[in-house]
Amino acid sequence: MASIEFKKVTKSFGDSTVIEDLDLMIEDGKFTVLVGPSGCGKTTLLRMIAGLDPQTSGAVLIDGKDVSHTAPGQRGVALVFQNYAIYPTMSVRENIEFGLKNNKVSKEERKELVESISATVGLSDYLDRKPSTLSGGQRQRVALARAMVKKPAVFLMDEPLSNLDAKLRVHMRIELIELHKKLGSTFVYVTHDQVEAMSMADTIVLMNKGEIQQEASPDTIYREPNNLFTAQFVGVPPMNTAPLGKDGASFGFRPESAALTRSATDAWFQYKGVIMTREMLGSETIYHVKGDRYTFMIKCYEDLFAVDEPVYVGVPADKLFFFGADEKRIAKNAPGYQAYLDWLRRQVDE
Amino acid sequence: MNRRKIWETLRPYVMILPAMLAILCFVIYPVFYLLKLSFYKYNLLNKAKSKFVGVDNYEQLFAKDEFYTALTNTVWYTIATVSLTMLIALLLALWINQKKGKKINALLQAGIFTPHIISIVSIALVWMLLMDPNHGILNFLLKLVGLPPSKWLQSSSTSMMSVILVSIWHGVGYYALIILAALKSVPPTIYEAAALDNASRFKTFYKITLPMISPQLFFILIIMTIGSFKVFDTVRIMTGGGPNNSTSTLVYHIYEYRSNNLGYASATGIVLMVIIAILTFVYFRMLSKKIHYQ
Ligand SMILES: Nc1ncnc2c1ncn2[C@@H]1O[C@H](COP(=O)(O)OP(=O)(O)OP(=O)(O)O)[C@@H](O)[C@H]1O
Ligand SMILES: [Mg+2]
């Protein structure tokens, strides 16, 4: 069990600074998901925790202790690599055992641990196989087992499910959540898939270009995005946003907050457009509505409209978000909020 | 339909026919011809006077002290050259591999490879100059650091060592480059995983690096063993087998009998071939389980 803390951490590769003055607290025993677009520095952050690519300046603390000068093997962390990094020359058993052997765990204890862990991840029948004879999913289990067997205080995972097919991914997601419950150790999980982030996390840390955009529970991130980036990153499809035409501010609403109607209603924000495309996803349908000024994605649970049909998009006042020129969200009780709300209503009336 | 089927079966054989013909003419036929010669007392001037003598040549061979000297010399030469070259090449490759500077690396690689592109004849001649007991630089250097000078090629106790030294110098860079390429193909994340598994440097090398480059090491071992057993050029130029037969090797032994007793030389050639074949077979039997192919 351990918390992880970043204090004014900067990381540069040569002259390019990837992360600058980052402060972050990852709580003990929580399932924290690092999410963000490709190249935003997630892997870099994870590798700093593991000690594989130490920070350029600042300090990383594990369990309150500065580990800047602690070797990766001594930090009590285990890392599941994105490409698994299984030792190809060793059998599955040797792969799982290697860390234990290096930590001078006795032979009987080792045997017991390997058996129990391999049973947990369903590898018992494969212990004497070479990794090259395993499927992608099985290799991933080897990587997981190798990390689990060390009983690490911190469990780091770098997109461990990205190479799996959709079905196995959903299955492994559930297994990981259960694993976290069972082990109770600190999990830091990297992904660029926000569905994965939403479904697994206690806390989501959303990053962009080396900066933390928001650090909150999935619920908060979804309902109260801090800024335009978060709003546009989270959700499938993400939030509709458009310039408000005043002070450089923008407004936005979730695709499922809007209602589509054939005739005008008295919704606070009303916009007339034509359905451009229709994506039927089973339980829901996503319409792409285009008007003179805006295009919106609208999610409906009933499939009532056809392509090329003229429709009204209606959004109630309490489902509207506003973002200032600095891209920060304007809170409902902030002074400018009501003015923007009124402005939006007047805009569309014309 | 039927004709097409025949063509389908024949096609692979037709395809490899040119290569097989070449191998037949230039490999298989000479080997059998060599075998035939080894049973003859061959007369180079008058072919008609050659006569079949059975295993006479072999009996003669196994009774000769010179043959055993040559064999022992060759074995020692092979053991020393192969083990030292592999060890030094491995160390060189490891050293270059952990160097970060791009320019330095390119320079080093070019540097260690250069001996390989120079003719062994030139190398041998230059080393003979260096090893001259009276005017050579090596003895000068030895004196400079206060060590006793050596007679190098001119004493039977140091001549073999001197030949081995030149062979190692000639080959080590080439093999270091092969090993270096192998080292570079090991994914770095595996080393990172090992670091997280708290593996010591020795353990990482022994349990990860070595198995990962084992195919290349095995290849080098076989190629070098075969090559060393056939050593000739350095011996021919630097010592002529001397002094006192101390550097006479199997191939040099064959060469010495090339004109006055062709049958005997052929028999020696066959024996050499058999030794190399057995050795290669033994290597495969002993080591193939330890080799990890990707
Ligand atoms: N060894 C390196 N040398 C130079 N730049 C690097 C190095 N490693 C990463 N970077 C840069 O750092 C930035 C962040 O990389 P990082 O691997 O952390 O991204 P990521 O968030 O994990 O992306 P992805 O989702 O694609 O894996 C990128 O712009 C990348 O080019
Ligand atoms: Mg990454």
Side-chain angles (χ1 to χ4, degrees):
Chain A
M1 314 309 100
S3 62
I4 302 160
E5 198 176 351
F6 285 82
K7 277 190 180 161
K8 290 251 165 294
V9 167
T10 299
K11 176 74 194 172
S12 319
F13 295 102
D15 344 318
S16 73
T17 300
V18 177
I19 289 172
E20 202 166 359
D21 280 343
L22 177 120
D23 287 299
L24 174 65
M25 177 77 194
I26 294 171
E27 278 179 69
D28 178 16
K30 285 276 168 61
F31 200 125
T32 303
V33 174
L34 286 177
V35 64
S38 189
C40 72
K42 305 181 295 287
T43 302
T44 308
L45 204 66
L46 215 56
R47 291 169 62 86
M48 284 196 282
I49 302 175
L52 296 174
D53 261 333
Q55 67 276 14
T56 314
S57 69
V60 177
L61 282 69
I62 296 180
D63 211 8
K65 281 194 291 285
D66 188 343
V67 291
S68 304
H69 301 289
T70 311
Q74 311 281 345
R75 294 189 176 199
V77 304
L79 171 59
V80 179
F81 289 84
Q82 185 163 359
N83 61 1
Y84 310 151
I86 299 172
Y87 310 122
T89 55
M90 301 184 199
S91 68
V92 172
R93 182 193 302 279
E94 289 169 316
N95 259 284
I96 301 175
E97 248 181 355
F98 192 58
L100 297 178
K101 273 189 184 163
N102 293 327
N103 289 331
K104 311 263 186 295
V105 177
S106 74
K107 199 169 175 188
E108 302 86 68
E109 201 176 334
R110 245 169 28 217
K111 190 158 187 275
E112 211 169 285
L113 276 169
V114 170
E115 312 260 286
S116 79
I117 295 286
S118 55
T120 312
V121 296
L123 277 175
S124 300
D125 297 339
Y126 303 95
L127 279 178
D128 295 313
R129 287 237 214 142
K130 279 279 163 66
S132 56
T133 66
L134 298 179
S135 75
Q138 288 162 342
R139 283 180 213 193
Q140 198 236 341
R141 285 150 193 262
V142 176
L144 269 176
R146 184 175 69 181
M148 279 161 64
V149 81
K150 292 189 282 185
K151 302 226 166 74
V154 176
F155 214 122
L156 307 172
M157 282 171 276
D158 193 356
E159 307 195 27
L161 307 186
S162 56
N163 293 345
L164 305 183
D165 68 66
K167 209 169 159 187
L168 191 55
R169 196 180 315 175
V170 173
H171 173 72
M172 286 309 295
R173 231 188 259 164
I174 295 165
E175 284 203 357
L176 282 178
I177 295 171
E178 279 173 1
L179 180 71
H180 173 246
K181 272 202 200 116
K182 203 153 74 185
L183 297 181
S185 43
T186 311
F187 274 47
V188 183
Y189 185 101
V190 164
T191 178
H192 58 242
D193 176 357
Q194 47 118 346
V195 178
E196 221 165 87
M198 298 293 279
S199 66
M200 299 172 89
D202 291 326
T203 309
I204 290 180
V205 177
L206 179 60
M207 293 180 61
N208 187 32
K209 297 188 180 137
E211 282 173 23
I212 292 175
Q213 302 293 320
Q214 189 164 1
E215 189 192 337
S217 68
D219 204 53
T220 313
I221 280 227
Y222 188 75
R223 289 182 214 285
E224 293 160 30
N226 264 354
N227 53 34
L228 208 53
F229 178 84
T230 311
Q232 287 170 337
F233 191 83
V234 177
V236 197
M239 185 183 283
N240 292 302
T241 55
L244 187 61
K246 189 184 181 204
D247 310 341
S250 334
F251 71 98
F253 59 90
R254 292 274 171 209
E256 60 273 25
S257 306
L260 285 186
T261 47
R262 291 208 165 83
S263 50
T265 56
D266 61 350
W268 187 275
F269 172 73
Q270 179 120 258
Y271 185 69
K272 193 162 173 251
V274 176
I275 292 178
M276 300 300 293
T277 61
R278 163 181 162 268
E279 287 172 57
M280 168 64 195
L281 301 177
S283 64
E284 64 217 31
T285 309
I286 292 165
Y287 297 102
H288 185 176
V289 180
K290 191 171 174 7
D292 308 334
R293 251 195 292 174
Y294 311 121
T295 44
F296 295 127
M297 305 293 280
I298 310 295
K299 193 195 261 183
C300 297
Y301 295 95
E302 279 169 304
D303 185 15
L304 300 172
F305 303 93
V307 173
D308 287 340
E309 203 172 332
V311 286
Y312 287 90
V313 174
V315 186
D318 62 333
K319 300 283 189 189
L320 285 163
F321 295 88
F322 293 96
F323 302 91
D326 57 356
E327 302 201 342
K328 292 238 164 32
R329 185 169 64 91
I330 295 159
K332 289 219 163 102
N333 49 14
Y337 185 84
Q338 193 57 41
Y340 284 145
L341 207 55
D342 293 338
W343 168 271
L344 185 64
R345 173 136 204 156
R346 234 175 316 131
Q347 281 283 297
V348 180
D349 280 347
E350 283 157 15
Chain B
M1 194 65 203
N2 206 5
R3 284 184 58 163
R4 214 175 125 195
K5 227 174 184 170
I6 293 172
W7 172 236
E8 282 294 312
T9 25
L10 278 182
R11 195 169 62 177
Y13 299 100
V14 175
M15 294 291 200
I16 60 166
L17 192 66
M20 287 317 286
L21 278 178
I23 290 177
L24 203 70
C25 289
F26 300 112
V27 180
I28 314 253
Y29 172 70
V31 167
F32 279 98
Y33 193 65
L34 187 72
L35 190 65
K36 184 189 149 194
L37 280 182
S38 73
F39 295 116
Y40 276 82
K41 182 154 183 62
Y42 199 83
N43 192 323
L44 273 177
L45 294 176
N46 189 349
K47 215 176 157 190
K49 278 195 179 166
S50 303
K51 68 167 192 276
F52 183 79
V53 292
V55 293
D56 253 21
N57 285 326
Y58 291 92
E59 278 173 0
Q60 213 182 1
L61 173 70
F62 288 115
K64 242 196 183 100
D65 279 348
E66 281 163 55
F67 168 73
Y68 289 106
T69 315
L71 183 62
T72 328
N73 283 341
T74 309
V75 169
W76 279 123
Y77 172 86
T78 302
I79 293 175
T81 314
V82 172
S83 56
L84 286 174
T85 306
M86 282 188 77
L87 185 71
I88 298 171
L90 183 61
L91 291 176
L92 263 178
L94 287 170
W95 177 60
I96 295 176
N97 192 40
Q98 52 104 36
K99 271 200 153 357
K100 292 284 176 278
K102 272 219 174 74
K103 279 211 178 108
I104 297 271
N105 261 355
L107 207 68
L108 273 174
Q109 286 174 32
I112 61 168
F113 190 68
T114 309
H116 190 74
I117 59 172
I118 303 173
S119 155
I120 184 76
V121 177
S122 322
I123 289 175
L125 289 173
V126 171
W127 275 92
M128 280 171 76
L129 287 179
L130 296 179
M131 286 172 168
D132 188 285
N134 300 319
H135 314 293
I137 290 180
L138 290 185
N139 270 354
F140 175 73
L141 289 176
L142 282 180
K143 266 186 222 154
L144 213 62
V145 296
L147 289 169
S150 166
K151 302 201 77 171
W152 300 107
L153 296 164
Q154 295 178 13
S155 148
S156 56
S157 56
T158 53
S159 55
M160 192 44 130
M161 178 204 81
S162 309
V163 173
I164 291 170
L165 179 71
V166 174
S167 298
I168 293 176
W169 186 81
H170 178 233
V172 80
Y174 175 67
Y175 295 112
L177 277 197
I178 294 183
I179 298 176
L180 184 63
L183 286 174
K184 285 210 192 301
S185 72
V186 180
T189 47
I190 293 187
Y191 289 120
E192 291 171 354
L196 280 164
D197 269 344
N198 205 13
S200 63
R201 279 179 74 147
F202 173 74
K203 196 111 189 228
T204 308
F205 174 74
Y206 184 71
K207 295 293 277 185
I208 292 167
T209 310
L210 220 45
M212 290 297 280
I213 62 172
S214 57
Q216 285 83 355
L217 291 180
F218 186 59
F219 169 76
I220 293 176
L221 179 69
I222 296 216
I223 290 293
M224 275 197 73
T225 306
I226 294 173
S228 303
F229 252 91
K230 297 191 299 189
V231 61
F232 171 72
D233 26 26
T234 33
V235 172
R236 167 80 182 92
I237 294 157
M238 295 178 75
T239 64
N244 194 16
N245 270 347
S246 62
T247 54
S248 171
T249 60
L250 280 178
V251 177
Y252 193 74
H253 191 63
I254 295 173
Y255 173 78
E256 278 186 314
Y257 286 92
R258 72 196 177 280
S259 47
N260 53 18
N261 196 346
L262 199 59
Y264 175 83
S266 306
T268 320
I270 293 287
V271 170
L272 174 65
M273 206 172 78
V274 170
I275 293 175
I276 291 176
I278 291 174
L279 215 60
T280 311
F281 180 74
V282 168
Y283 274 156
F284 268 97
R285 282 307 284 272
M286 274 184 0
L287 294 175
S288 59
K289 281 223 179 62
K290 297 214 166 76
I291 310 295
H292 170 265
Y293 292 102
Q294 229 120 14

